[in-house]
């Protein structure tokens, strides 16, 4: 079976991560094209990772005979690339957040689903070895009902200039904490309400920095479950701390990243299981999309899920702006 032909839209750091995932499994995928606005950057990217460099997206989609398009653009740069790929029957892997407003995201969903293409959104945490172990135990009835989800995303960096501007990135909650928001939905389901607070607390004196760098939210479920999430860009420089606690009827999980966790049974005979995986989650999500294309099944994180997680992040932003609980 021939490897699927992949093109990447974007030539930055996240695009390089996807290029490495493609190269890691040459039996499944091959990079044949990349596209960036700057011809020098696009050319350098192609020289480093392979494929032909383009500066015109439509030309790449017309000429490169792609099976998959990876959209590795910053949030503000998302436009009609989903519709353009869908018209050509090209499957999609999209970086999150897929848009900055809900209507745009919903149009993307409509175009992809009408065309019948397979889609995957880059919530790679769903593919971590520790997360997969929890979901396997849950499917087997070993965890019991999850009642409490607690998650944090802590870092301290100025990032790219576009990231600092809320109008271009959506802010830290939409651009980073959305990973934890998506996992809350994945592991507990959709909440009934959200209440949130945000602030630009640590970087208020930095020029053109108006993204939230301190946030917290409470997700409420009609059956009594709760999820607590917080994020800051004012923690330890050089560290990217992503941590999750899950408490269920029969199992408690402490995750220090997608691949690493300690699972402790809280019912019956005490027992602790430690998972310390090294899975490349970028490669895993790409391989899942390849299998979905070949088998006809949905990918693990289709575009509708990407839109739904965005809608929840936007509801949290609305809650913070209006200082009230918002129904979801």
């Amino acid at each position: 079976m021939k490897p699927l032909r992949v093109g990447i839209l974007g030539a930055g750091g996240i695009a390089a991560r996807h290029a490495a995932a493609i190269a890691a499994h040459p039996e499944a995928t091959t990079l044949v094209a990349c596209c960036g606005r700057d011809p020098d950057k696009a050319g350098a990217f192609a020289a480093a990772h392979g494929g032909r460099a383009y500066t015109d997206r439509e030309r790449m989609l017309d000429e490169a005979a792609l099976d998959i398009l990876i959209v590795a653009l910053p949030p503000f740069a998302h436009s009609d690339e989903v519709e353009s790929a869908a018209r050509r029957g090209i499957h999609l892997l999209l970086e999150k957040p897929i848009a900055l407003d809900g209507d745009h995201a919903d149009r993307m969903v409509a175009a992809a689903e009408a065309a019948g293409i397979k889609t995957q959104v880059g919530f790679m945490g769903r593919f971590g070895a520790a997360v997969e172990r929890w979901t396997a135990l849950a499917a087997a009835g070993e965890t019991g009902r999850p009642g409490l989800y607690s998650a944090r995303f802590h870092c301290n960096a100025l990032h790219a200039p576009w990231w600092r501007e809320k109008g271009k990135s959506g802010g830290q909650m939409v651009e980073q904490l959305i990973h934890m928001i998506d996992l809350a939905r994945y592991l507990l389901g959709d909440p009934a309400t959200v209440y949130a607070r945000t602030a630009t607390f640590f970087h208020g004196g930095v020029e053109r920095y108006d993204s939230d760098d301190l946030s917290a939210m409470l997700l409420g479920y009609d059956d009594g479950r709760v999820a607590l999430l917080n994020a800051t860009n004012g923690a330890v420089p050089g560290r990217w701390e992503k941590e999750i606690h899950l408490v269920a009827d029969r199992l408690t999980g402490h995750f220090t990243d997608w691949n690493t966790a300690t699972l402790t049974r809280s019912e019956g005979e005490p027992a602790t299981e430690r998972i310390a995986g090294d899975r490349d989650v970028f490669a895993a999500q790409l391989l899942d999309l390849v299998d979905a294309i070949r088998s006809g099944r949905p990918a693990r994180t289709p575009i509708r899920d990407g839109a739904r997680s965005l809608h929840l992040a936007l509801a949290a932003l609305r809650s913070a702006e209006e200082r009230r609980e918002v129904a979801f």
Side-chain angles (χ1 to χ4, degrees), residues 71 78-79 81-83 86 91-95 97-99 102 104-114 116-123 126 182 185 289 298-311:
V71 179
H78 287 259
S79 57
E81 59 277 349
V82 169
E83 293 88 340
H91 307 286
L92 285 159
L93 195 164
L94 301 104
E95 267 305 323
I98 64 171
H104 187 185
D106 291 343
R107 290 195 300 273
M108 291 177 167
V109 173
E113 292 183 347
I117 59 173
K118 301 299 180 183
T119 55
Q120 184 92 281
V121 177
F123 290 120
R126 294 189 180 199
D182 180 74
R185 290 189 55 253
L289 177 59
R300 185 173 300 177
T301 315
I303 192 170
R304 181 170 289 274
D305 257 13
R308 194 69 175 159
S309 292
L310 174 65
H311 277 293

Side-chain angles (χ1 to χ4, degrees), residues 75-245:
F76 70 90
H78 287 259
S79 57
D80 63 342
E81 59 277 349
V82 169
E83 293 88 340
S84 189
R87 285 195 300 270
R88 295 168 170 86
I90 299 171
H91 307 286
L92 285 159
L93 195 164
L94 301 104
E95 267 305 323
K96 55 78 225 165
I98 64 171
L100 289 177
D101 69 82
D103 289 343
H104 187 185
D106 291 343
R107 290 195 300 273
M108 291 177 167
V109 173
E113 292 183 347
I117 59 173
K118 301 299 180 183
T119 55
Q120 184 92 281
V121 177
F123 290 120
M124 66 279 191
R126 294 189 180 199
F127 295 88
V131 173
E132 284 194 346
R133 177 58 177 158
W134 178 280
T135 56
L137 289 169
E142 295 294 318
T143 67
R145 303 169 304 159
L148 175 67
Y149 172 98
S150 176
R152 66 185 180 98
F153 194 120
H154 291 186
C155 58
N156 192 339
L158 288 180
H159 305 286
W162 63 263
W163 193 95
R164 305 170 204 171
E165 297 183 36
K166 191 173 182 179
K168 292 183 177 180
S169 67
Q172 187 185 22
M173 192 156 60
V174 169
E175 212 282 326
Q176 286 181 333
L177 189 59
I178 195 169
H179 279 293
M180 301 309 192
I181 292 171
D182 180 74
L183 280 176
R185 290 189 55 253
Y186 185 55
L187 298 172
L188 271 72
D190 283 336
T193 63
V194 57
Y195 178 76
R197 294 290 294 269
T198 64
T200 307
F201 186 86
F202 295 105
H203 297 88
V206 177
E207 186 178 3
R208 300 178 70 86
Y209 194 118
D210 65 355
S211 287
D212 49 289
D213 61 8
L214 187 63
S215 65
M217 72 174 71
L218 168 67
L219 307 181
Y221 293 76
D222 285 338
D223 62 359
R225 291 173 296 153
V226 293
L228 305 163
L229 299 84
N230 70 78
T232 183
N233 191 31
V236 182
R239 293 188 188 175
W240 301 83
E241 298 178 353
K242 299 178 283 291
E243 189 173 31
I244 297 168
H245 281 83

Side-chain angles (χ1 to χ4, degrees), residues 34-55:
C34 66
C35 183
R37 291 180 300 177
D38 185 317
D40 292 334
K41 288 183 178 179
F45 188 92
H49 301 287
R52 178 180 173 183
Y54 290 85
T55 56

